[in-house]
């Protein structure tokens, strides 16, 4: 659109919407690497009963809210104006970030405060994500959308990588700084949006909100994703919670509600989730490929952060206070590969279409996963960095062309909901990935960690009953303890009544911060092999789906 339509210029619009996307995605990952500093800042013991759930909800709550709400808020943008909803997103983000930065309490109350406001922050993030790509699609003509959406998507996915580095830098200074930086960016984005953005397309009058569709989708997705969150926590003497009746009820009930949602959307006069869009080949293939890709790589960052912060960096002598910063620095090749490939692939997709670029990117991603599973836990960094670079390039080649193909394929009046559907598939895939990958990782640890602990502690002449007590601790608790820079063997051996009876040299060895990472290394690698094999298989499946997207298709109004 030209400036005569009320916009000050296409590239100004692109800058503002890209800032919104960057803000939303940076905050999806900034806490992953900052969790050790946050838990220390609010004085929460990672092994205390119930505290593992705080960690998981802090990590996944924001992603859950964005996954649940993006379709509804995209539809709201279609009805009441995408620019209006986008502006409000900045305001919500600023207000909730202030509440997070000013956390007034500590301990479990502090954790609950942070979780609640992170969920609210997810509402603002969903407003920005759902309407950002739709506004760009409104403003740019078809033959420039690939480039524009490429820049936007680079910011979107690069934001998840940038969040890792930024979280490491800011948490090394003060844990509350990770929220204050969002306040500054959100206030600047809100001012810019209210000053420069005006609606290109008029609001839709006479359009009703599909309340039943909104309710069944929101409750169904929340039930499934919340059940996954609790499924990876210990329950009833088991290392995981899949036998928990509440988890089983959440999964079954959530799937049933999603089935009801599909039935409602096929019959309601004005659906929020127009299932007819899935008759468009480019739309369904692009979204299914994006979902499989999100599941394949959504848990990757979490696995890599645990690997670096919990095992690799401590074994190499890095102090706990420095591990978040250095983990972010060592992950830079992932960001670099994506930033280099994303804009180029977006530009090339305008000419050659999405199929060759997106499919090739997914194959390259699968190759990088195979390479990662072949690395030892105590790897040589150059090999690790090269595989991260290839993974980032593969993601960059896929993301922008795929998004462009999806958005070009839908009618103008459906762009908000189409953008919401795309974001829902992506965000739900990421939450599902974290639950799935972490479950597989814990299953691998459960098979080999108890015997590794028994062997290591027996070598230090620790009495058998005390060894049994340590080996009975759920693997998820020990893994998170190492991730958070905490060796729980001091308290575990003390509670077993043997700490004071052991020789000083033995106590010094088993309570050193590097001892637990050393014991975890081999069992952790067993779990990683399964995780990366599944990620490679999912990436190849996404590549196959991508081949079915057809040629270049742009919806003709």
């Amino acid at each position: 659109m030209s400036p005569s339509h009320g916009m000050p210029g296409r590239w100004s619009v692109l800058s503002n919407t890209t800032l919104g996307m960057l803000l939303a995605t940076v905050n999806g990952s900034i806490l992953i690497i900052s969790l050790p500093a946050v838990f220390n800042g609010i004085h929460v013991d990672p092994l205390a009963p119930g505290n593992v759930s705080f960690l998981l909800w802090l990590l996944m709550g924001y992603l859950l809210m964005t996954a649940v709400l993006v379709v509804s808020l995209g539809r709201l943008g279609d009805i009441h104006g995408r620019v209006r909803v986008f502006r409000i997103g900045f305001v919500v983000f600023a207000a909730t970030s202030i509440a997070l930065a000013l956390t007034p309490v500590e301990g479990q109350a502090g954790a609950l405060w942070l979780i609640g406001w992170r969920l609210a922050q997810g509402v603002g993030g969903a407003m920005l994500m759902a309407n950002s790509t739709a506004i760009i699609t409104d403003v740019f003509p078809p033959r420039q959308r690939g480039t524009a959406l490429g820049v936007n998507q680079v910011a979107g996915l690069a934001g998840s990588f940038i969040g890792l580095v930024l979280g490491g830098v800011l948490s090394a200074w003060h844990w509350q700084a990770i929220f204050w930086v969002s306040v500054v960016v959100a206030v600047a984005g809100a001012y810019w949006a209210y000053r420069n953005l005006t609606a290109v397309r008029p609001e839709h009058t006479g359009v009703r909100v599909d309340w039943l569709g909104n309710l069944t989708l929101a409750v169904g997705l929340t039930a499934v994703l919340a059940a996954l969150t609790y499924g990876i926590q210990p329950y009833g003497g088991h290392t995981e919670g899949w036998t928990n009746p509440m988890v089983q009820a959440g999964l079954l009930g959530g799937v049933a509600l999603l089935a009801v949602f599909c039935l409602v959307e096929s019959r309601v006069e004005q659906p929020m989730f127009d299932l007819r869009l899935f008759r468009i080949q480019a739309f369904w293939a692009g979204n299914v490929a994006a979902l499989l890709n999100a599941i394949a790589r959504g848990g990757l960052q979490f696995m890599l952060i645990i690997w670096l912060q919990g095992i690799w960096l401590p074994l190499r002598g890095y102090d706990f206070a420095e591990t978040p910063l250095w983990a972010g620095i060592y992950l830079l090749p992932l960001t670099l590969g994506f930033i280099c490939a994303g804009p180029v692939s977006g530009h090339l997709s305008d000419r050659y279409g999405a199929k060759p670029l997106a499919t090739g990117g997914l194959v390259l991603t699968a190759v990088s996963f195979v390479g990662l599973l072949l690395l030892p836990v105590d790897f040589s960094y150059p090999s690790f960095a090269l595989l991260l670079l290839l993974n980032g390039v593969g993601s960059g080649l896929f993301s922008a062309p795929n998004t462009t193909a999806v958005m070009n394929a839908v009618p103008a009046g459906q762009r908000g909901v189409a953008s919401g559907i795309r974001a829902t598939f992506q965000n739900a895939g990421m939450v599902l990935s974290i639950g799935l990958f972490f479950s597989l990782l814990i299953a691998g640890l459960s098979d080999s960690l108890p015997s590794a602990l028994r062997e290591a502690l027996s070598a230090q002449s620790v009495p058998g009953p005390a060894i049994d007590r340590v080996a009975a601790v759920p693997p998820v608790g020990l893994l998170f303890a190492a991730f958070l820079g905490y060796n729980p063997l001091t308290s575990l051996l003390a509670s077993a009544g043997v700490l004071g009876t052991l020789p000083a040299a033995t106590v010094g060895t088993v309570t050193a911060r590097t001892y637990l990472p050393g014991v975890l290394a081999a069992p952790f690698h067993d779990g990683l092999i399964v995780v990366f094999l599944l990620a490679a298989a999912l990436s190849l499946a996404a590549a196959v789906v991508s081949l079915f997207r057809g040629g270049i298709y742009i919806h003709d109004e």
Side-chain angles (χ1 to χ4, degrees), residues 253-526:
V255 170
L257 278 173
L258 292 177
V260 172
F261 166 74
C262 292
L263 181 63
V264 169
E265 297 306 279
S266 66
R267 298 188 176 187
V268 71
E269 183 179 348
Q270 297 180 1
M272 60 164 290
F273 197 120
D274 194 343
L275 298 179
R276 291 172 299 179
L277 291 176
F278 286 92
R279 298 174 185 171
I280 303 172
Q281 185 174 352
F283 184 82
W284 73 257
N287 275 301
V288 173
L291 175 64
L292 292 171
N293 178 62
I295 298 173
R297 62 172 298 103
L300 171 68
Q301 291 178 348
F302 196 30
M303 296 298 109
L304 294 178
I305 291 298
I306 293 176
W307 192 354
L308 289 173
Q309 284 188 223
I311 297 176
W312 192 79
L313 288 169
L315 289 178
R316 293 185 172 245
Y318 286 82
D319 185 75
F320 165 67
E322 299 176 344
T323 54
L325 173 61
W326 282 103
I329 291 173
Y330 282 130
L331 287 174
L332 277 174
L334 193 66
T335 308
L336 180 64
F338 185 83
I339 290 176
C340 291
V344 175
S345 66
H347 177 71
L348 292 176
S349 70
D350 288 334
R351 178 176 299 179
Y352 301 109
K355 184 188 291 188
L357 295 161
T359 305
L362 290 167
V363 172
L364 183 60
T365 300
V367 170
S368 70
F369 282 130
V370 174
L372 285 169
L373 73 86
L374 295 176
L375 287 180
V377 174
D378 194 14
F379 52 79
S380 170
Y381 181 70
S383 301
F384 182 73
L386 177 60
L387 290 170
L388 291 186
L389 181 69
L390 292 177
N391 192 281
V393 170
S395 296
L397 289 174
F398 169 76
S399 178
N402 189 68
T403 301
T404 303
V406 168
M407 296 303 295
N408 275 342
V410 300
Q414 296 275 47
R415 286 171 186 161
V417 71
S419 178
I421 292 171
R422 183 193 59 80
T424 295
F425 273 63
Q426 179 175 303
N427 293 349
M430 291 180 67
V431 178
L432 177 61
S433 176
I434 293 174
L436 178 62
F437 284 11
F438 205 78
S439 181
L440 292 171
L441 181 66
I442 295 301
L445 282 173
S446 300
D447 288 339
S448 51
L449 182 57
S451 59
L453 281 168
R454 292 179 188 279
E455 181 179 346
L457 292 173
S458 295
Q460 297 296 323
S461 300
V462 175
I467 293 176
D468 292 338
R469 187 157 187 164
V470 173
V473 175
V476 64
L478 294 174
L479 184 63
F480 278 148
F483 170 55
L484 297 172
Y486 168 65
N487 187 342
L489 291 178
T490 302
S491 60
L492 290 173
L493 294 175
S495 65
V498 301
L499 187 64
T501 66
L502 295 173
T506 299
V507 173
T509 298
V510 300
T511 60
R513 185 169 171 262
T514 57
Y515 185 77
L516 182 59
V519 176
L520 282 168
F524 182 79
H525 189 256
D526 292 342

Side-chain angles (χ1 to χ4, degrees), residues 84-299:
R84 176 182 294 178
V85 176
F86 182 77
R87 288 169 175 167
I88 295 172
F90 275 121
V91 175
V92 171
F93 219 103
T96 53
S97 298
I98 291 172
L100 287 161
L102 295 176
T103 301
V105 287
E106 297 181 346
Q108 292 188 349
L112 290 172
W113 174 279
L114 289 171
I115 290 169
W117 285 108
R118 277 286 284 178
L119 291 172
Q121 191 182 52
V123 177
M127 288 179 170
L128 296 173
M129 295 178 72
N131 293 281
S132 175
T133 52
I135 292 171
I136 290 173
T137 309
D138 283 344
V139 173
F140 282 83
R143 291 298 178 181
Q144 292 182 357
R145 283 178 193 156
T147 302
L149 288 170
V151 172
N152 186 264
Q153 290 304 299
V154 164
L157 286 186
S160 63
F161 304 142
I162 292 170
L164 301 177
V165 180
L166 191 60
V169 172
L170 293 175
S171 61
W173 176 28
H174 195 283
W175 68 270
Q176 289 171 312
I178 64 176
F179 301 119
W180 281 118
V181 71
S182 295
V183 175
V184 174
V185 175
V187 169
Y191 173 79
W192 191 357
Y194 277 95
R195 180 182 176 87
N196 285 345
L197 294 186
T198 56
V200 172
R201 295 186 179 275
E203 301 173 13
H204 290 251
T205 58
V207 178
R208 295 188 299 272
V209 176
D210 175 17
W211 294 112
L212 185 57
N214 275 273
L215 181 64
T216 51
L217 176 66
V219 177
L221 264 181
T222 300
V224 170
L225 298 179
L228 289 172
T229 302
Y230 284 103
I232 60 180
Q233 299 180 47
Y235 173 78
H238 300 283
T239 57
E240 297 183 271
W242 302 113
T243 57
N244 185 337
M246 295 299 293
V247 170
Q248 295 173 350
L251 290 173
L252 294 175
V255 170
L257 278 173
L258 292 177
V260 172
F261 166 74
C262 292
L263 181 63
V264 169
E265 297 306 279
S266 66
R267 298 188 176 187
V268 71
E269 183 179 348
Q270 297 180 1
M272 60 164 290
F273 197 120
D274 194 343
L275 298 179
R276 291 172 299 179
L277 291 176
F278 286 92
R279 298 174 185 171
I280 303 172
Q281 185 174 352
F283 184 82
W284 73 257
N287 275 301
V288 173
L291 175 64
L292 292 171
N293 178 62
I295 298 173
R297 62 172 298 103

